[in-house]
Amino acid sequence: MTRPAEPASDDAATSPLWRAAQAFRLVTLIYAVGQQAASVSYYTNQRLSWVLIALMAVWSGVSAVMLSQWRIHNLRRVRTTVVIGDHVVVVALIFATRLVSDFDWYHGHQTLPTTLWAANAVMSSAILWGPFGGVTSGLLISAAIITAREQWELDIWRDATAPVLVSVGLAIGLAANTARRAQAQLQRAVRLTAAAEERERLAREVHDGVLQVLSYIKRRGTEIGGPTAELAQRAGEQEVALRVLISEQGERSDAGGPEVDLRPLLTAQATPSVLVSTPGEPVPFGRWEAREISAAVAAALANVVQHAGPGAKAYVLLEDTGEELIISVRDDGPGIPSGRLAEAEGQGRMGVSRSIVGRIAAIEGTAHLLFEAAGPDAADDGAEWEFRVPRRR
């Protein structure tokens, strides 16, 4: 039989509750046996009552072993089967009380499986199915006890059986759900920490190796000149692209998480040739959305370096209208000829459509190229991208 090496997240979260519930089951079994010894002299069928108590003890041992283990294949199905069996045994023993005692006894005393032992089924349901399962189980067993004792009269409101069992189911169910949420948050934090550490490790290795080599090729190629100048230019382009790739590494799992200030993500891209202007007040935005905006701006600036020439300057402006964010990226280079982007996309070169337009569209925004050069002889009016991203209410 295949056994998992470690419990799943849900099982790991509730394992302490399952083990504690089985310890409680042992205590309640001892109490039930003591109650049997104290009450057996009042029973009309004492031998049958001891047989039923023996069955209760056997079932308690079997269910405790099955519910407290997690090294079992199809653990969820096994636990569901045991919990359903728990209810069948409890209800059967409750009504079996009428086989071992007369009306006067079972009408005014506890049933054969004491209320305390019957609470085990309620606790198991609450751990497995949450508050709804716990409350439903409490109501079911309470109804069985009241029916078996024939107490459907006004005195039912003086009996604490139903309130106690329902309260136990509700409390344990809430505790189980809280444990599951805490386990999920812990695992998410561990994954994010591991991913961040891995990104930092890769960034260090890339920086120590590939980026330094590309930077060296760019510098030496520029110094040598001639045919190596083009090689130097390509190396510089790849260096910029690789730096952008490293800086934008992130996961969509951050979407919907805490908001971050967008301004530092943009101002971090400022250089002597890139001027970044942001509002004086913080601009909070979703973590993943802010990273996508920053990556789109970085891609636009990379295009400036690649196509506008080394002497071109770029300007990044962030505006927050309250309803949407407006980010402008403008340069003073030769501009982009009209229709050039559509032509490049038709040729299968998807850099702009994916790195800029695609990122902004993914966060339900729009990206427009406001200025295009009229032709190869047009004045150097530059190009300007405008990103508009609505705020989510």
Side-chain angles (χ1 to χ4, degrees):
M1 182 171 60
T2 303
R3 292 185 177 183
E6 59 182 16
S9 60
D10 182 79
D11 300 324
T14 57
S15 288
L17 291 175
W18 283 115
R19 291 189 173 91
Q22 305 327 305
F24 178 79
R25 185 184 295 268
L26 175 61
V27 173
T28 58
L29 176 63
I30 295 174
Y31 172 77
V33 173
Q35 179 71 17
Q36 164 70 11
S39 306
V40 66
S41 59
Y42 299 98
Y43 291 158
T44 58
N45 194 335
Q46 298 179 7
R47 180 175 299 178
L48 178 60
S49 69
W50 281 114
V51 171
L52 296 176
I53 290 296
L55 293 175
M56 181 195 304
V58 171
W59 173 253
S60 295
V62 172
S63 59
V65 171
M66 298 297 288
L67 294 177
S68 61
Q69 299 297 315
W70 55 264
R71 293 181 178 275
I72 302 176
H73 188 59
N74 291 330
L75 180 60
R76 178 80 178 186
R77 181 181 301 174
V78 170
R79 283 180 171 168
T80 301
T81 302
V82 174
V83 171
I84 293 175
D86 222 358
H87 285 75
V88 173
V89 171
V90 169
V91 172
L93 289 175
I94 288 173
F95 283 95
T97 307
R98 305 181 71 164
L99 300 177
V100 300
S101 62
D102 55 22
F103 175 82
D104 292 337
W105 175 262
Y106 66 69
H107 181 71
H109 297 80
Q110 290 191 78
T111 56
L112 189 66
T114 63
T115 302
L116 198 61
W117 188 86
N120 288 290
V122 179
M123 294 177 62
S124 297
S125 297
I127 298 174
L128 186 64
W129 295 308
F132 177 79
V135 171
T136 302
S137 174
L139 292 174
L140 172 64
I141 294 178
S142 298
I145 292 175
I146 294 170
T147 302
R149 295 174 62 187
E150 295 187 15
Q151 289 185 327
W152 292 102
E153 64 263 4
L154 293 178
D155 286 343
I156 185 177
W157 305 110
R158 303 173 187 173
D159 190 350
T161 298
V164 168
L165 291 179
V166 171
S167 298
V168 168
L170 178 62
I172 300 299
L174 292 175
N177 282 357
T178 301
R180 291 187 180 96
R181 286 194 298 268
Q183 180 71 12
Q185 292 174 356
L186 175 61
Q187 290 191 332
R188 181 174 179 271
V190 170
R191 288 195 301 268
L192 292 177
T193 301
E197 292 177 352
E198 181 65 13
R199 288 196 298 270
E200 290 180 2
R201 185 186 67 82
L202 292 175
R204 287 194 299 269
E205 292 184 0
V206 170
H207 180 270
D208 293 340
V210 180
L211 288 178
Q212 289 185 354
V213 172
L214 290 175
S215 178
Y216 176 76
I217 294 175
K218 176 184 176 183
R219 184 174 66 255
R220 289 294 295 158
T222 303
E223 293 174 356
I224 296 173
T228 60
E230 182 179 358
L231 177 62
Q233 179 183 357
R234 297 301 180 188
E237 294 172 358
Q238 294 304 312
E239 180 187 1
V240 172
L242 190 54
R243 290 186 185 276
V244 170
L245 179 63
I246 294 174
S247 65
E248 71 187 29
Q249 289 303 305
E251 297 182 0
R252 287 174 178 259
S253 59
D254 286 333
E259 293 184 335
V260 296
D261 188 358
L262 179 60
R263 298 177 304 164
L265 298 178
L266 299 183
T267 55
Q269 304 183 44
T271 66
S273 60
V274 177
L275 177 63
V276 180
S277 178
T278 60
E281 298 294 329
V283 182
F285 214 58
R287 185 178 300 273
W288 173 65
E289 289 86 349
R291 185 178 290 123
E292 291 294 280
I293 292 174
S294 175
V297 171
L301 294 176
N303 282 337
V304 174
V305 174
Q306 182 175 352
H307 300 292
K313 292 186 179 295
Y315 308 89
V316 179
L317 174 63
L318 171 63
E319 299 178 83
D320 185 3
T321 66
E323 297 294 330
E324 64 178 356
L325 299 183
I326 304 176
I327 304 95
S328 302
V329 182
R330 184 172 184 176
D331 65 78
D332 58 4
I336 302 176
S338 178
R340 183 68 186 92
L341 296 182
E343 179 184 350
E345 187 172 349
Q347 295 173 352
R349 301 170 63 183
M350 310 296 291
V352 171
S353 64
R354 290 181 179 174
S355 299
I356 300 179
V357 179
R359 279 192 170 94
I360 301 301
I363 56 177
E364 302 179 4
T366 58
H368 298 290
L369 183 60
L370 298 184
F371 299 119
E372 292 182 313
D377 300 328
D380 294 347
D381 294 331
E384 180 175 358
W385 282 99
E386 182 181 81
F387 310 143
R388 290 180 174 266
V389 182
R391 285 191 172 277
R392 295 180 181 179
R393 295 298 182 183

